[in-house]
Amino acid sequence: MEDTPTPSTAMAYLNPSYWDERFSKEEQYEWFKDYSHFRHLIQPHLTPHSAVLELGCGNSQMCEQLHKDGTTNITCIDLSHVAVQNMQKRLLSRGFKDIKVLQADMLELPFGDECFDLVIEKGTMDVLFVDSGDPWNPKPETLSKVMATLKGVHRVLKAGGTFISVTFGQVSKRNCLPHFRRPIFNAPDFTWSVEWTTFGETFHYFVYILKKGQRSSYDDVPPTKGFEAPPINLLHEELESEDFAFLINVDELNY
């Protein structure tokens, strides 16, 4: 495999041709750590009979790891036809014949109502925020895309189903809570409860857990575990990776 094409700015992540080029050269990459780091947060929301949808599978191995854990009814989607073709070939070569991989846009999910028990995304929605401007007041075009994604996820989730979003999720220095996504998740369009937790040691990632069926109030969104954010250290090994979240202007973190 050739070296992964590294974009000069985060804006490249909004260009579908970048992903096609990247996936034609890159065999496997995990955004925001691999499944083993947050498996303990996912498994309580799964049974062997759960129908799972992964948004933006890319070339991640998460679907294989979920399958090995006993959840076999898995559908993966990605906007890149190159990613989809490569994933289909890889899964077949490894004996995962029942994992479905489809080319689809998460803004227009091509599935019926209430057909999945769990929808999961890892870093995929973060792409929508690379040109969001002020995270407390995203641009209308950014908010429109995010809401289209969330409305689609809410529609395809069964009653009692769960949406799990793994994100870089910048924090507020005032009280270390990932505030700026809470108003979006708590829009009146949705009937899900919202909780959040973190994983990671020196550097933390956020996991939002949204369960359809019982709405949370904006002021009643508890963390599932306590967390005190460390100061951002640009020399930390995590920041040496190519994850697009760290190409976003760090000044946006200084609320």
Side-chain angles (χ1 to χ4, degrees):
M1 287 286 181
E2 301 178 33
D3 292 338
T4 297
T6 303
S8 57
T9 69
M11 293 300 295
Y13 293 106
L14 296 174
N15 186 347
S17 64
Y18 165 77
W19 294 105
D20 287 341
E21 179 186 3
R22 174 173 181 149
F23 291 131
S24 69
K25 300 176 180 179
E26 178 185 74
E27 183 174 348
Q28 193 273 325
Y29 185 80
E30 295 292 346
W31 302 91
F32 308 161
K33 300 294 187 181
D34 64 50
Y35 171 76
S36 66
H37 288 82
F38 54 90
R39 175 184 181 273
H40 62 291
L41 302 174
I42 307 300
Q43 281 300 308
H45 304 282
L46 287 172
T47 73
H49 305 291
S50 294
V52 177
L53 172 63
E54 179 185 357
L55 305 180
C57 60
N59 51 27
S60 169
Q61 295 184 16
M62 183 164 63
C63 64
E64 298 175 40
Q65 294 162 330
L66 285 167
H67 194 286
K68 289 177 180 178
D69 265 350
T71 300
T72 58
N73 185 0
I74 303 172
T75 301
C76 305
I77 66 167
D78 201 281
L79 190 60
S80 168
H81 73 279
V82 177
V84 169
Q85 291 174 0
N86 288 348
M87 179 69 84
Q88 289 171 337
K89 293 177 182 177
R90 189 184 83 192
L91 292 174
L92 285 175
S93 71
R94 296 180 180 180
F96 296 98
K97 298 181 180 180
D98 49 354
I99 298 178
K100 296 179 285 292
V101 187
L102 307 174
Q103 183 179 4
D105 189 341
M106 67 181 179
L107 275 65
E108 299 180 7
L109 294 177
F111 306 106
D113 297 350
E114 300 188 357
C115 55
F116 292 102
D117 298 288
L118 177 72
V119 179
I120 185 168
E121 67 88 16
K122 180 162 68 81
T124 306
M125 280 187 57
D126 285 39
V127 173
L128 302 178
F129 286 95
V130 298
D131 189 32
S132 66
D134 179 2
W136 292 92
N137 187 27
K139 294 178 180 179
E141 54 267 35
T142 298
L143 188 57
S144 176
K145 292 177 181 179
V146 173
M147 288 299 294
T149 300
L150 293 178
K151 287 179 181 179
V153 169
H154 190 272
R155 179 182 61 80
V156 303
L157 273 178
K158 298 178 183 178
T162 304
F163 174 43
I164 295 180
S165 175
V166 182
T167 176
F168 171 67
Q170 299 98 313
V171 300
S172 165
K173 290 175 67 176
R174 291 174 295 191
N175 54 13
C176 299
L177 293 178
H179 273 313
F180 76 86
R181 290 201 183 175
R182 295 203 315 180
I184 300 174
F185 288 143
N186 276 283
D189 307 75
F190 310 125
T191 63
W192 46 38
S193 60
V194 182
E195 296 182 342
W196 63 270
T197 186
T198 65
F199 69 91
E201 297 177 359
T202 304
F203 196 84
H204 290 76
Y205 300 99
F206 284 95
V207 179
Y208 291 95
I209 301 169
L210 293 77
K211 186 170 288 291
K212 184 176 178 179
Q214 185 174 357
R215 181 174 169 80
S216 299
S217 69
Y218 178 81
D219 294 324
D220 184 28
V221 183
T224 55
K225 72 173 184 179
F227 159 59
E228 183 174 335
I232 297 296
N233 178 2
L234 294 180
L235 298 180
H236 187 271
E237 62 180 2
E238 285 292 341
L239 304 191
E240 294 177 359
S241 72
E242 189 254 353
D243 289 2
F244 62 80
F246 307 116
L247 296 178
I248 299 173
N249 188 347
V250 178
D251 290 340
E252 293 179 355
L253 302 181
N254 299 325
Y255 306 142

